[in-house]
Amino acid sequence: MKQREQRVPLQYLMGECEFMGYDFYVDERVLIPRQDTECLVELAVEDIRNRKTQNRCESNNTADQKNEQKVKVLDLCTGSGCIGISVAKLCPDTEVTLADISEGALSVAKKNAQNLDAGVTLIKGNLFENIEGRFDYILSNPPYIPSEVIEGLMPEVKEHEPRLALDGEADGLSFYREIINEAPDYLNPDGRIYFEIGAEQGEDLTHLMNERGFSEVKVHKDLAGLDRIVTGIYSRK
């Protein structure tokens, strides 16, 4: 009761949060998974499944299907691992890598992967640091709240959730710029990128991605009708 009076989120007190139908362990080393983020997972899972179906249809014989390469997914700024682990569970033929700069966050993600029996790879590093190879999908819910806005957030958020996972620096776009700039070097031909964004950031993200050469850039709404996800394709020239 005393912790609730101190505005400690209930999910931290219980040590769990439901996301995409799975129970994820959470503590103050990671953000609490939000329902808005499920929109990103749902979009990515639908596209991955469609891609795999198309690949199978284009296979001419059984041997081609047996040699079909797994779809490779990178979850940057993974936190609790809720995005990447959910994708791994819902699309079991994928090869999923979770990356985060926080050792604590990776410990939580590892625990969740073990609890949910999800075969994923975990890498510690600052964004693409220590990432090797190329991916078909990069999924990310990076820190995107402008620094000066954080102090105005609810106590449950500003006093208990990790600032490292919230603070998007001056304009909230710092991490997006870095990821967008480097992502083409880590994407396979026609690789996709999926971002969760703040409700006012759709136009800025669209501009940044178009400027870097991404095509078919789209802004998707969440269940409340707010801009929440930006997606795009990088067609290697």
Side-chain angles (χ1 to χ4, degrees):
M1 189 68 180
K2 183 178 180 181
Q3 287 179 302
R4 280 304 292 146
E5 290 174 355
Q6 295 172 346
R7 307 290 289 272
V8 178
L10 183 60
Q11 293 91 335
Y12 288 153
L13 296 179
M14 296 176 62
E16 66 176 20
C17 179
E18 191 272 340
F19 183 86
M20 293 300 297
Y22 302 107
D23 290 329
F24 282 84
Y25 170 77
V26 292
D27 61 28
E28 293 194 6
R29 293 175 291 177
V30 297
L31 288 182
I32 297 166
R34 265 72 166 179
Q35 189 176 25
D36 292 339
T37 308
E38 292 187 347
C39 298
L40 186 156
V41 175
E42 289 166 354
L43 286 169
V45 166
E46 180 181 12
D47 196 46
I48 291 168
R49 288 175 174 172
N50 288 340
R51 172 183 285 218
K52 293 184 73 64
T53 298
Q54 182 179 359
N55 288 344
R56 291 192 183 102
C57 290
E58 292 174 353
S59 296
N60 296 321
N61 53 54
T62 305
D64 288 336
Q65 293 183 19
K66 287 183 177 179
N67 293 328
E68 180 185 333
Q69 291 186 340
K70 289 187 176 182
V71 173
K72 298 184 67 175
V73 178
L74 172 62
D75 175 11
L76 277 183
C77 307
T78 191
S80 66
C82 64
I83 292 175
I85 291 171
S86 295
V87 170
K89 295 294 291 183
L90 294 166
C91 302
D93 290 333
T94 54
E95 186 176 307
V96 178
T97 298
L98 313 179
D100 204 290
I101 195 173
S102 166
E103 191 73 54
L106 287 174
S107 294
V108 172
K110 181 177 180 179
K111 180 175 180 131
N112 282 320
Q114 292 171 339
N115 290 347
L116 294 168
D117 192 26
V120 298
T121 300
L122 292 94
I123 294 179
K124 183 180 185 298
N126 182 14
L127 299 181
F128 291 101
E129 181 185 17
N130 300 322
I131 300 295
E132 297 181 355
R134 295 185 185 273
F135 300 83
D136 301 296
Y137 293 84
I138 294 175
L139 316 177
S140 186
N141 178 18
Y144 60 71
I145 300 175
S147 302
E148 65 178 14
V149 173
I150 292 177
E151 289 307 312
L153 298 176
M154 295 183 300
E156 286 87 344
V157 177
K158 70 177 181 179
E159 294 176 10
H160 298 285
E161 297 200 68
R163 188 173 182 118
L164 182 66
L166 295 169
D167 195 338
E169 300 184 2
D171 62 358
L173 301 174
S174 176
F175 291 91
Y176 295 116
R177 290 190 185 93
E178 290 190 52
I179 295 171
I180 290 168
N181 183 56
E182 294 188 53
D185 294 330
Y186 295 89
L187 283 170
N188 284 322
D190 294 323
R192 269 77 165 166
I193 194 163
Y194 284 65
F195 283 121
E196 179 173 335
I197 63 168
E200 306 297 325
Q201 295 173 325
E203 185 176 343
D204 289 329
L205 262 290
T206 298
H207 174 73
L208 288 170
M209 292 178 70
N210 283 330
E211 193 174 49
R212 186 63 176 89
F214 284 85
S215 61
E216 298 184 41
V217 179
K218 298 177 183 177
V219 180
H220 306 263
K221 306 283 187 185
D222 60 20
L223 295 176
L226 301 174
D227 291 350
R228 188 59 58 193
I229 311 298
V230 174
T231 62
I233 300 173
Y234 192 83
S235 300
R236 193 170 303 283
K237 296 178 182 179

